[in-house]
Amino acid sequence: MFIHQQKLQYNSSPEKPDAVYARKLQEVIGGQYGEITVAMQYSFQAWNAHIPGKYRDLLFSTAAEEFGHVEMLATMVAQLLEKAPLGITEDAIQEDPAVAAVIGGTDMQQAIVSGAGARPVDSMGNPWTAGYVTASGNLLADMTSNVNAEMQGRTQVARLYHMTDDPGIRDLLSFLLARDTMHQNQWVAAVRELQEDGLEEMPTPSNFPQSKETSEHAYTAYNFSDGQAMDQGSWAAGPTPDGKGTFDYQPEPMAGVPMPPPTHPDARFYGTTELPNSEEKAAGTVQDKLNKG
């Protein structure tokens, strides 16, 4: 069960109102790599974990922490909007506060929909979606995804840091940056430990037999571009990170095979084919009469 304590993890008080910046903060609340995403991602990864112990406990703990980050940011947004003007000050457009707000960069829905509060959306007003969440049940795949989520999130917070000079906002962002640093490192450590514990290996999923792969293509770097420097990377020669092969480099793609001829679906899908329309129509009628599924 969840139990809420009415305390924030860290200070969340801006020095002055700023409706435009409140909109910017929405990205790290409800964007693809925002706090709602990682809170839900780590929660579902924990719920989908198949083994008890340290990895599951780490996921549950970090998920709960991330919900607290949502709370801090939502609290910050509400304060930024509390005394913010609806529009900007030029007389020519202040006569229409809605137009002024749009021109000024304010999120109108923060005013109209949520009554000067945060929303589960990104900075453009797009609703948060569960499609952002990665929770496969494979801990190595999931925790590798978590490294990316924290890297992307920290990059966005770092950019937001330079978009304000408000010391209160910067103080909160400094805290979030520090926690992102911790989380990046913890997920990298967890990825390594999963492999050291023998629970999962690369390539993931490691319990799928590689004998069923087309092995001659497993460790070859084919160059599908006209760039000339691809072979200069460690992925073009030497041992592979999974320790199970040696990289090979080919300057061109494989020769390929002829494409199959166009398909001819059931006439009742009404796809256009090279057959005369009258024949397609007759075929569909016959199939209906024969009750052919």
Side-chain angles (χ1 to χ4, degrees):
M1 64 180 174
F2 289 92
I3 299 174
H4 180 257
Q5 291 185 343
Q6 294 192 31
K7 294 189 287 187
L8 297 178
Q9 290 177 27
Y10 193 79
N11 295 326
S12 181
S13 296
E15 188 175 86
K16 56 186 181 296
D18 188 337
V20 174
Y21 198 82
R23 176 178 181 174
K24 295 176 182 178
L25 277 184
Q26 284 289 162
E27 190 63 36
V28 289
I29 294 177
Q32 181 177 0
Y33 297 106
E35 302 290 358
I36 295 176
T37 294
V38 288
M40 295 299 288
Q41 178 157 307
Y42 304 160
S43 292
F44 275 91
Q45 287 177 4
W47 293 325
N48 293 349
H50 304 298
I51 56 174
K54 58 185 178 183
Y55 298 110
R56 192 167 182 258
D57 288 354
L58 176 63
L59 286 163
F60 274 132
S61 173
T62 313
E65 178 181 355
E66 301 291 11
F67 277 113
H69 293 178
V70 177
E71 184 173 52
M72 285 187 294
L73 287 165
T75 300
M76 177 66 78
V77 165
Q79 292 175 93
L80 288 169
L81 294 171
E82 184 177 15
K83 296 179 180 179
L86 287 177
I88 56 181
T89 56
E90 283 79 1
D91 293 339
I93 58 176
Q94 188 61 31
E95 296 175 1
D96 187 339
V99 174
V102 172
I103 293 175
T106 302
D107 181 355
M108 290 300 295
Q109 291 190 326
Q110 285 180 329
I112 297 170
V113 178
S114 58
R119 304 181 61 237
V121 301
D122 65 16
S123 56
M124 298 302 293
N126 301 307
W128 182 84
T129 171
Y132 297 153
V133 170
T134 298
S136 69
N138 184 295
L139 288 180
L140 186 54
D142 285 349
M143 290 184 175
T144 301
S145 175
N146 295 351
V147 176
N148 173 65
E150 294 288 349
M151 288 179 173
Q152 297 288 348
R154 190 173 188 274
T155 298
Q156 293 180 359
V157 174
R159 290 168 177 163
L160 282 165
Y161 185 93
H162 295 293
M163 295 180 185
T164 181
D165 57 4
D166 188 303
I169 299 174
R170 281 195 161 190
D171 185 42
L172 173 61
L173 297 184
S174 293
F175 173 76
L176 294 175
L177 286 162
R179 295 311 297 161
D180 286 343
T181 295
M182 171 59 195
H183 294 159
Q184 284 185 34
N185 280 282
Q186 82 174 32
W187 296 130
V188 170
V191 164
R192 291 174 179 169
E193 199 157 324
L194 278 163
Q195 296 173 85
E196 292 168 358
D197 289 347
L199 296 174
E200 190 66 52
E201 299 175 357
M202 289 180 61
T204 303
S206 55
N207 57 357
F208 182 86
Q210 283 192 269
S211 61
K212 295 185 181 296
E213 296 180 6
T214 309
S215 57
E216 63 267 30
H217 299 294
Y219 297 110
T220 300
Y222 296 102
N223 192 349
F224 283 84
S225 173
D226 59 3
Q228 301 300 308
M230 180 178 166
D231 61 344
Q232 297 174 16
S234 59
W235 52 81
T240 57
D242 63 12
K244 298 177 181 179
T246 302
F247 282 125
D248 177 43
Y249 175 75
Q250 296 294 329
E252 297 178 353
M254 65 285 287
V257 297
M259 182 176 287
T263 56
H264 291 83
D266 187 307
R268 291 167 294 177
F269 282 119
Y270 304 109
T272 303
T273 72
E274 73 276 15
L275 296 176
N277 186 263
S278 57
E279 291 185 23
E280 291 279 13
K281 183 176 181 179
T285 301
V286 170
Q287 288 167 328
D288 269 345
K289 288 181 178 179
L290 296 175
N291 197 26
K292 183 178 179 181

